[in-house]
Amino acid sequence: MNDMTPTREQREAALEGMGCKRKRVEDIRFTQGKGKYVDDIKLPGMLHGDFVRSPYAHAKVTKIDATEALKLPGVIAVLTAEDLKGVNLAWMPTLAGDVQMVLADGKVLYQNQEVAFVVAEDRYIADDAVQLVEVEYEELPVLVDPFKSLDPDAPVLRPDLDGKMEGAHGPRKHHNHIFNWSVGEEEATDKAFAEADVTVKEMISYHRTHPSPLETCQCLASMDKVTGQLTVYGTFQAPHVVRTVASLLSTIPEHKIHVIAPDVGGGFGNKVGVYPGYVCAIVASIVTGLPVKWVEDRMENLSTTSFARDYHMTTEIAAKKDGTVTALKVHVLGDHGGFDACADPSKWPAGFFNIVTGSYDFPVAHLSVDGVYTNKAPGGVAYRCSFRVTEAAYCIERGMDVLAQKLGMDPADLRLKNFIQPEQFPYNSALGWEYDSGDYPTAMHKAMDAIDYRGLREEQKAKQEAFKRGETREIMGIGVSFFTEIVGAGPSKNCDILGVAMFDSAEIRIHPTGSVISRMGTKSQGQGHETTWAQIIATEIGIPASDITVEEGDTDTAPYGLGTYGSRSTPVAGAAIALAARKIRNKAQMIAAHMLEVSEYDLDWDVDGFQVKGNPERRKSMKEIAWAAYHAPPAGIEPGLEAVSYYDPPNMTYPFGAYFCVMDIDVDTGVAKTRRFYALDDCGTRINPMIIEGQVHGGLTEAFAIAMGQEISYDAMGNVQGASFMDFFLPTAVETPHWETDFTVTPSPHHPIGAKGVGESPNVGGVPAFSNAVNDAFGFLGATHIQMPHDAWRLWKVAKDLGAHG
Amino acid sequence: MIPGEFTYHRPASVAEAIALLVDHGDEARPLAGGHSLIPMMKLRMAAPEHLIDLSGVADLKGVSQEGDVITIGAMTTQAEVIGSALLTDKLPILRETALLIADPQIRYVGTLGGNVANGDPGNDMPALMQCLSASYVLAGPDGTREVSSRDFYEAAYFTALAPEEILTAVKIPVPAPGHGYAYEKLKRKVGDYATAAAAVMLTMSGGTVSSCAIALTNVGDTPLFAEEAASILDGSTLDRETVKKAVAAAEAITMPASDGRGPAEYRTKMAGVMLERALKRAAERAQG
């Protein structure tokens, strides 16, 4: 070996593989404004669509007159439900087993519902024409409060379901009832409550909000009438699913549909579903034979395409005097809006809400969820979370604090007392999940030490005394959150979307010179897959990440996958990538054995190639092996070097974390300042620590927004309030707290590289940390549970009601 | 979120701009920084057929002092207000307020004239102008006239500005050296209008208030000049009881709307809290 030969460490570093803080390769184009989004795509002869929307939340549509609109030069067509009926598309199926109007069919169920679709030569003309379409409405009584949905005299929202008392998820008990989902042991739970030393009960609401990605939903549909080929560019988190759904809806054969998701500017669950805009653009392109683009504006996005949360969770915990929990009982009232368009795996009407037992060893539990209709926009998507896991984490983490307060116990100590212990994994929860791995006490102690938790409690005590003496008008709260997520949907045994199992896929192809093209069934919307997927491959097959191209989002080239949401990409596609890479490495080993004239069993893998056991000087690098695979493949071995893997995960993964929030609240204004926020995440094996940190920062910022003010609300008439960034709280860098991040590593035992997924943990764990800090601050004044969002006026009102204003 | 069709004009002089306003009557709107008008047009709540962009009128720019009066051209941007050495020296409250308006990008385009002329009760400068006893120079087909900022605002978006007039400049009497000042603004986030805000100008002499002016932002359908509150404080030492009375007097003139910033009750109380805090800070700054 001469001085020029790189050391093992140098060779390893050159790969920029797993564990490396590799800079995001996609940022080169994003930071220069060179990303290519749907609205950047312009096709010859392209037309533009825009919607006529309902000003009313609940009304009959008695007449639609497009005469004046059609007179406007440049207007090509105005589509209504009647037109769509001709192609059987006035209604479409939802992912939740319901049906949804594409365009208003005789009535509207929420404000801004799509009524007619104007197609024109440019966007300006389209919008001008929208103003000219005359629609006559007959107002109907509006149902806004989900707690009144099931009143005997509640207005009938869905006459189309008249007499249909069997829904997609079992019997319906009322004309506005969608489903009841019940899980756990009700009798045993009731018994535990009857025998408990202490019980608590609180109705904990998680308000309606919206994922609000910076790029709104949009698509460009282009039907080539000569070839019969439909091409759809769209902001899709799951392009293959869109292709399958489009084929099922349109009856165009699936091989004649080409779906392309170019750069996507954030999804957070907003871009999983199929929206009327997509259907209308496709139909308009089929009708006109020209490309048709539809781009939502901000108000349309916030008020129509997929809200999140809106879960009202009556939570009861039973415990012994010493704080040991003995049972959990939760009833959820889920407000689904006018249609049930939740984006959950098909068999899960309330997603994975049954993770609600959280990080605690509940011997028994019972959960019941009722979904109801209201005159609000449909949705219920997983806003940066695995399906309904944010709601569940908020429910249990708030509930544990309520119990701690009743017991007079410290909330961190109560959690430590009730944690599932490391030796209990794999752990079967009372509501049916098998937690794969975890070490909660270690994470909790590390976090508590890092922030000097006991010291903070002493400071808080002193501040409370000072407040009582009138020396300060500020109160201090310490929010504790210890969440367990369930991500990586999912095993085919329990997860599918419209019958397609929720596997994912990777294809890796090595070029003769040893560089790589790889394609996955996932679709990055900012997660940095182009960077991290290459790192997995780099470590697995010893080719530098910089020599690996990652492509996603084109259904003609990428293998079929279920897309990116619910922190599933790393748990599912990440595994497929590792397994495809290992197939390549296995073949490479055979080729190397031939090249080195030894048995393949006499070879060891070493960073970026194979070496002969006991004689490491004799080695072949992956680059040399790749060349041989194309140049001189050994006899009996197929030329080329590539592999595909479809991965059906054996189980979900269960990331967890300990979050602490320290907050000071000015009782005279209600303004809350986050002094400190510490987030410890355990996402198993860490592929790119820098990207993890970025993910955590982003998710915490969303959690901060949601907890402290971000909401979609409605007035009594069903008018959506604040559907613009003036009122919808999207924090800037100025408002956003400073984030401290930390980690422990408990690899997933069933995942090929031990990774669990992290993108959504900070949103899931962050919201309870903020809300618990607020509640903790007001606790000594007598508050037991304060509903979110915790914006200034609401906290001022809390202070006032608790007598803090004198 | 796409405006209707309009004709764009870019006059080079005030006279030319007024002529365009006269020609097109109700169908024309002058355009300053556009941060209120353009969003209204995108929402189609405003649909002017003629947009008269004043950014090409050089005479509408600049900051100058003549005697005891500082004149600021209507098209002076908030960023230029912030960057002006003269204003920082003589009218530091103007800089303090401008820094609380929107964000840097908007302040590079948004103008002082547009802020005061639009009549939006959410804007910060109108109350400040009232507090400073500023007057507005209005130019129309029949020449110019001056109107006190305290008489200018009639209701939300309704002002003394006639349809054919343009607000060309703001004139502010130079405050006494050593004065105390503060603009306290409560807002939900950067870029938001005030939940409530209070402007205070104060001179102290031997520990007592020798003059005081107070105005409030976004707690009524116009900016509110809180004359009674100020007169309560005159001659006082800003003792707790007197401040409490002044705050109550200020709160009494508010009539805020309930909106996403909070219910009316809250916004009224916040006007009081902002005033109390502004008084405290202004007194700390006042010399004498």
mmCIF file of all heavy atoms in Angstrom, chain A residues 1 11 606 610-620:
data_model
loop_
_atom_site.group_PDB
_atom_site.id
_atom_site.type_symbol
_atom_site.label_atom_id
_atom_site.label_comp_id
_atom_site.label_asym_id
_atom_site.label_seq_id
_atom_site.Cartn_x
_atom_site.Cartn_y
_atom_site.Cartn_z
ATOM 1 N N MET A 1 0.847 -1.205 0.000
ATOM 2 C CA MET A 1 0.000 0.000 0.000
ATOM 3 C C MET A 1 0.876 1.246 0.000
ATOM 4 O O MET A 1 1.765 1.368 0.848
ATOM 5 C CB MET A 1 -0.893 0.006 1.246
ATOM 6 C CG MET A 1 -2.322 0.348 0.908
ATOM 7 S SD MET A 1 -3.361 0.417 2.376
ATOM 8 C CE MET A 1 -3.980 -1.250 2.435
ATOM 9 N N ARG A 11 -12.091 5.976 2.742
ATOM 10 C CA ARG A 11 -13.010 5.370 1.769
ATOM 11 C C ARG A 11 -14.451 5.469 2.281
ATOM 12 O O ARG A 11 -15.383 5.733 1.532
ATOM 13 C CB ARG A 11 -12.632 3.910 1.528
ATOM 14 C CG ARG A 11 -11.399 3.759 0.623
ATOM 15 C CD ARG A 11 -11.177 2.311 0.220
ATOM 16 N NE ARG A 11 -10.595 1.511 1.281
ATOM 17 C CZ ARG A 11 -11.142 0.384 1.758
ATOM 18 N NH1 ARG A 11 -12.270 -0.073 1.272
ATOM 19 N NH2 ARG A 11 -10.558 -0.287 2.725
ATOM 20 N N ASP A 606 -16.119 -5.002 2.437
ATOM 21 C CA ASP A 606 -15.334 -4.000 3.152
ATOM 22 C C ASP A 606 -15.581 -2.613 2.545
ATOM 23 O O ASP A 606 -14.961 -2.248 1.543
ATOM 24 C CB ASP A 606 -13.852 -4.342 3.087
ATOM 25 C CG ASP A 606 -13.002 -3.304 3.795
ATOM 26 O OD1 ASP A 606 -13.246 -3.051 4.988
ATOM 27 O OD2 ASP A 606 -12.132 -2.705 3.125
ATOM 28 N N PHE A 610 -15.234 -5.925 -2.245
ATOM 29 C CA PHE A 610 -15.017 -7.228 -1.600
ATOM 30 C C PHE A 610 -13.522 -7.512 -1.530
ATOM 31 O O PHE A 610 -12.786 -7.209 -2.464
ATOM 32 C CB PHE A 610 -15.707 -8.340 -2.407
ATOM 33 C CG PHE A 610 -17.197 -8.314 -2.243
ATOM 34 C CD1 PHE A 610 -18.013 -7.725 -3.214
ATOM 35 C CD2 PHE A 610 -17.794 -8.879 -1.115
ATOM 36 C CE1 PHE A 610 -19.385 -7.700 -3.063
ATOM 37 C CE2 PHE A 610 -19.177 -8.860 -0.969
ATOM 38 C CZ PHE A 610 -19.967 -8.268 -1.937
ATOM 39 N N GLN A 611 -13.112 -8.099 -0.412
ATOM 40 C CA GLN A 611 -11.713 -8.494 -0.283
ATOM 41 C C GLN A 611 -11.635 -9.966 0.123
ATOM 42 O O GLN A 611 -12.555 -10.518 0.731
ATOM 43 C CB GLN A 611 -10.990 -7.595 0.719
ATOM 44 C CG GLN A 611 -11.529 -7.682 2.126
ATOM 45 C CD GLN A 611 -11.007 -6.559 3.023
ATOM 46 O OE1 GLN A 611 -10.669 -5.472 2.554
ATOM 47 N NE2 GLN A 611 -10.943 -6.844 4.305
ATOM 48 N N VAL A 612 -10.503 -10.569 -0.226
ATOM 49 C CA VAL A 612 -10.332 -11.982 0.073
ATOM 50 C C VAL A 612 -10.020 -12.125 1.560
ATOM 51 O O VAL A 612 -9.203 -11.390 2.110
ATOM 52 C CB VAL A 612 -9.194 -12.574 -0.791
ATOM 53 C CG1 VAL A 612 -8.940 -14.042 -0.412
ATOM 54 C CG2 VAL A 612 -9.546 -12.462 -2.276
ATOM 55 N N LYS A 613 -10.734 -13.072 2.173
ATOM 56 C CA LYS A 613 -10.540 -13.293 3.608
ATOM 57 C C LYS A 613 -9.067 -13.573 3.889
ATOM 58 O O LYS A 613 -8.437 -14.403 3.227
ATOM 59 C CB LYS A 613 -11.375 -14.490 4.080
ATOM 60 C CG LYS A 613 -12.809 -14.127 4.324
ATOM 61 C CD LYS A 613 -13.631 -15.311 4.837
ATOM 62 C CE LYS A 613 -15.056 -14.830 5.040
ATOM 63 N NZ LYS A 613 -16.050 -15.878 5.036
ATOM 64 N N GLY A 614 -8.508 -12.903 4.844
ATOM 65 C CA GLY A 614 -7.117 -13.122 5.231
ATOM 66 C C GLY A 614 -6.114 -12.507 4.268
ATOM 67 O O GLY A 614 -4.902 -12.600 4.474
ATOM 68 N N ASN A 615 -6.599 -11.898 3.215
ATOM 69 C CA ASN A 615 -5.670 -11.310 2.239
ATOM 70 C C ASN A 615 -6.290 -10.026 1.686
ATOM 71 O O ASN A 615 -6.641 -9.941 0.510
ATOM 72 C CB ASN A 615 -5.401 -12.326 1.111
ATOM 73 C CG ASN A 615 -4.275 -11.863 0.210
ATOM 74 O OD1 ASN A 615 -3.664 -10.806 0.444
ATOM 75 N ND2 ASN A 615 -3.990 -12.642 -0.823
ATOM 76 N N PRO A 616 -6.467 -9.026 2.546
ATOM 77 C CA PRO A 616 -7.236 -7.828 2.161
ATOM 78 C C PRO A 616 -6.608 -7.036 1.008
ATOM 79 O O PRO A 616 -7.271 -6.207 0.411
ATOM 80 C CB PRO A 616 -7.251 -6.999 3.449
ATOM 81 C CG PRO A 616 -6.145 -7.531 4.286
ATOM 82 C CD PRO A 616 -5.980 -8.951 3.920
ATOM 83 N N GLU A 617 -5.341 -7.308 0.682
ATOM 84 C CA GLU A 617 -4.727 -6.629 -0.466
ATOM 85 C C GLU A 617 -5.441 -7.012 -1.759
ATOM 86 O O GLU A 617 -5.503 -6.233 -2.697
ATOM 87 C CB GLU A 617 -3.252 -7.024 -0.598
ATOM 88 C CG GLU A 617 -2.411 -6.691 0.618
ATOM 89 C CD GLU A 617 -2.118 -5.206 0.721
ATOM 90 O OE1 GLU A 617 -1.465 -4.681 -0.192
ATOM 91 O OE2 GLU A 617 -2.585 -4.572 1.693
ATOM 92 N N ARG A 618 -5.956 -8.256 -1.751
ATOM 93 C CA ARG A 618 -6.656 -8.720 -2.966
ATOM 94 C C ARG A 618 -8.119 -8.307 -2.835
ATOM 95 O O ARG A 618 -8.890 -8.871 -2.077
ATOM 96 C CB ARG A 618 -6.538 -10.239 -3.108
ATOM 97 C CG ARG A 618 -5.108 -10.693 -3.395
ATOM 98 C CD ARG A 618 -5.126 -12.140 -3.869
ATOM 99 N NE ARG A 618 -5.840 -12.285 -5.124
ATOM 100 C CZ ARG A 618 -6.564 -13.356 -5.470
ATOM 101 N NH1 ARG A 618 -6.678 -14.368 -4.631
ATOM 102 N NH2 ARG A 618 -7.181 -13.415 -6.647
ATOM 103 N N ARG A 619 -8.496 -7.290 -3.548
ATOM 104 C CA ARG A 619 -9.867 -6.795 -3.435
ATOM 105 C C ARG A 619 -10.362 -6.257 -4.764
ATOM 106 O O ARG A 619 -9.575 -5.951 -5.661
ATOM 107 C CB ARG A 619 -9.966 -5.719 -2.341
ATOM 108 C CG ARG A 619 -9.289 -4.406 -2.662
ATOM 109 C CD ARG A 619 -9.245 -3.468 -1.440
ATOM 110 N NE ARG A 619 -10.492 -3.349 -0.711
ATOM 111 C CZ ARG A 619 -11.511 -2.536 -1.056
ATOM 112 N NH1 ARG A 619 -11.433 -1.772 -2.134
ATOM 113 N NH2 ARG A 619 -12.589 -2.485 -0.314
ATOM 114 N N LYS A 620 -11.677 -6.167 -4.886
ATOM 115 C CA LYS A 620 -12.286 -5.539 -6.068
ATOM 116 C C LYS A 620 -13.303 -4.530 -5.568
ATOM 117 O O LYS A 620 -14.176 -4.850 -4.750
ATOM 118 C CB LYS A 620 -12.999 -6.602 -6.945
ATOM 119 C CG LYS A 620 -12.059 -7.513 -7.695
ATOM 120 C CD LYS A 620 -11.296 -6.787 -8.802
ATOM 121 C CE LYS A 620 -10.190 -7.677 -9.386
ATOM 122 N NZ LYS A 620 -9.242 -6.888 -10.224
#
